[in-house]
Amino acid sequence: AAIVPGPHRATGGPARVTQEPSDKLRTALDRLCGVTHDYKEVRDGSMIQMVQAEAVDKTVPAFKNLPDAISEWSGGLEGVWENFGMVRADTEFASTTLPLALGESLHRLLLQRYAEVDFGISRLVPAGRPHRIPLSDFKLNHLVRVGEFGDISPVDPESGDYQPITVPTDEEATLRLGQSGNLCYITRKTMINDDIGALTANVDRLARAARRTFARAVITLVTGNGAIYDGKVLFHADHANSGTHTLDTGAIYEAVRAAMFAQTEPFSGEVLGDQNAPYLLMIPSTLFGKARAENEREYLGDATPMNVPNVGRHMFGQNSENIVKQPLFTDVNDWYVFANPAEVQTFVLGFLNGREDPEFFLQDNPLIGAPFNSDKIVYKLRHEYAAGIVNYRGIYAQIVA
């Protein structure tokens, strides 16, 4: 105040926080690639997810084209191939080279597109433990599910002691991580020709392919009907969780409900009942119209008499919101019913070190491999996860001959 007295102080509007030049370059590149939001890493215990954050600043103009971006970032095309090192393409820090910055923008675009299609997997395997767990290595992991206790014994302390309860036996499933991934190239010619449309379209397709591959790992556990933790196939006669009925009338929904209600807890043998109520109906798209009509029909119109109530009405939601079309089903007649995973867990997904989303990496050395031999910047997508069945009781199949 002594150095700059009041009369010498300028007045004006409020102070504003503006972006650094590097931030503006990143935003301009994001907008060129079609990125709408930033992403941030969120940790929930040992699990890690990339979650959509603030929207990209639309006041910053997008680069007009790739050559425009090259000029701003590298001072010319040849600068693209200089000085980029081994860095994972995270989404939260400013980059100093165009290849890395472009990798980050494409990573954000991939996460954006990856989140747009789900194949119904989040309905079957919701976020958080025990449905999604971290795994620390690629060894065979053992997942122990403890059985349920029987009834508590009556006791009269005046005439006898409390007796120990019989400890339930375990059910043990196993899970082994697998890896999926591919290399993605961006050629010098693509950048010179300003083919940004082809570049982002390929990332779109890559994201959908990654999501579909991930979803198929879960769906194949169902349609493949392979052996599970007890050594028997998922839909074994001993499991009492399958039939052969076509989806013809809502009455069949009630039959499925009765069968799922009748499932018993491991060890205790107590009936699950409402805990194992039908929650989600997953069908091929060809059955959607029929499934919805039978879920919402008030009366069984093809019955005699015509006013017989439809006992399966609204079993899958008032507006059939719990009927999911599954494009990965290859049989046009088979259909599957699932219990609410919050009540009865059927699946488990494991991720290496808890990281759920695909990762994006940049080629480490511009003097060897594709950058040197073929004028290509190389990015790598990697996704490491495993899927398993931990309880057959929460699923019922109608496998139609």
Side-chain angles (χ1 to χ4, degrees):
I3 295 173
V4 186
H8 300 282
R9 299 183 187 183
T11 59
R16 293 185 301 166
V17 178
T18 59
Q19 294 190 51
E20 293 289 332
S22 60
D23 294 329
K24 290 183 178 180
L25 289 176
R26 191 189 88 156
T27 300
L29 192 57
D30 277 348
R31 296 198 62 202
L32 175 66
C33 292
V35 176
T36 61
H37 286 79
D38 203 349
Y39 282 79
K40 62 181 180 181
E41 190 174 274
V42 174
R43 293 177 178 266
D44 181 9
S46 300
M47 301 303 294
I48 305 170
Q49 276 190 309
M50 299 303 296
V51 177
Q52 191 178 88
E54 63 273 6
V56 170
D57 187 355
K58 293 184 179 181
T59 65
V60 177
F63 285 123
K64 297 177 182 178
N65 46 48
L66 272 174
D68 187 23
I70 293 168
S71 177
E72 289 291 337
W73 275 94
S74 305
L77 183 65
E78 299 311 318
V80 173
W81 271 262
E82 297 176 0
N83 302 321
F84 56 96
M86 179 57 178
V87 183
R88 183 162 63 86
D90 282 332
T91 60
E92 297 190 64
F93 61 88
S95 304
T96 57
T97 65
L98 179 60
L100 184 54
L102 186 58
E104 291 177 8
S105 289
L106 294 179
H107 187 202
R108 282 187 283 274
L109 180 62
L110 182 133
L111 291 171
Q112 181 176 304
R113 297 293 189 252
Y114 183 81
E116 288 176 357
V117 58
D118 180 64
F119 293 93
I121 300 305
S122 63
R123 305 288 300 275
L124 300 177
V125 197
R129 287 179 177 269
H131 309 282
R132 302 187 182 216
I133 61 174
L135 298 176
S136 59
D137 54 49
F138 292 92
K139 299 176 183 177
L140 190 64
N141 291 267
H142 297 268
L143 309 176
V144 176
R145 181 175 181 272
V146 180
E148 301 293 335
F149 285 105
D151 288 349
I152 303 300
S153 303
V155 63
D156 182 358
E158 294 184 357
S159 60
D161 297 332
Y162 285 87
Q163 298 300 308
I165 193 168
T166 303
V167 177
T169 55
D170 302 332
E171 291 183 335
E172 183 182 81
T174 57
L175 205 61
R176 189 191 296 274
L177 281 168
Q179 294 176 290
S180 62
N182 285 104
L183 300 180
C184 181
Y185 300 98
I186 301 174
T187 67
R188 184 170 180 265
K189 182 181 293 186
T190 294
M191 302 189 81
I192 291 175
N193 290 345
D194 184 29
D195 202 355
I196 189 67
L199 178 60
T200 55
N202 282 338
V203 173
D204 281 353
R205 297 186 186 102
L206 189 65
R208 183 174 178 83
R211 191 72 181 206
R212 184 183 61 245
T213 304
F214 172 65
R216 199 184 299 278
V218 177
I219 297 303
T220 301
L221 293 174
V222 178
T223 58
N225 195 27
I228 58 172
Y229 54 86
D230 61 359
K232 302 172 183 177
V233 296
L234 174 58
F235 302 114
H236 192 277
D238 292 348
H239 295 162
N241 64 343
S242 65
T244 58
H245 293 286
T246 58
L247 204 167
D248 47 11
T249 69
I252 194 61
Y253 293 166
E254 182 61 24
V256 171
R257 172 158 47 194
M260 295 183 72
F261 276 19
Q263 290 284 2
T264 58
E265 295 176 341
F267 189 77
S268 75
E270 295 294 326
V271 175
L272 288 174
D274 284 345
Q275 182 182 351
N276 203 35
Y279 166 71
L280 194 74
L281 171 62
M282 191 167 281
I283 54 170
S285 58
T286 52
L287 293 180
F288 181 71
K290 184 67 173 178
R292 181 167 184 171
E294 297 308 325
N295 183 65
E296 299 178 14
R297 186 197 301 271
E298 184 174 1
Y299 298 102
L300 299 180
D302 55 354
T304 303
M306 300 294 284
N307 61 348
V308 175
N310 178 11
V311 292
R313 190 182 189 209
H314 296 158
M315 185 177 293
F316 301 107
Q318 294 286 323
N319 299 302
S320 298
E321 62 271 18
N322 292 332
I323 298 177
V324 176
K325 290 181 287 186
Q326 180 50 260
L328 298 180
F329 284 169
T330 56
D331 192 292
V332 298
N333 296 309
D334 295 350
W335 50 285
Y336 302 84
V337 177
F338 301 87
N340 190 334
E343 298 290 340
V344 177
Q345 182 188 1
T346 300
F347 302 96
V348 64
L349 286 170
F351 301 90
L352 183 64
N353 298 322
R355 185 172 294 278
E356 297 190 32
D357 300 287
E359 297 175 280
F360 220 43
F361 294 86
L362 173 69
Q363 165 72 32
D364 67 328
N365 193 331
L367 301 180
I368 61 174
F372 185 78
N373 296 332
S374 307
D375 282 345
K376 297 175 181 176
I377 298 173
V378 186
Y379 300 102
K380 179 175 72 176
L381 179 144
R382 185 176 70 194
H383 205 186
E384 297 164 317
Y385 54 87
I389 298 280
V390 293
N391 191 353
Y392 63 80
R393 298 165 183 84
I395 177 174
Y396 196 97
Q398 293 288 3
I399 302 174
V400 182

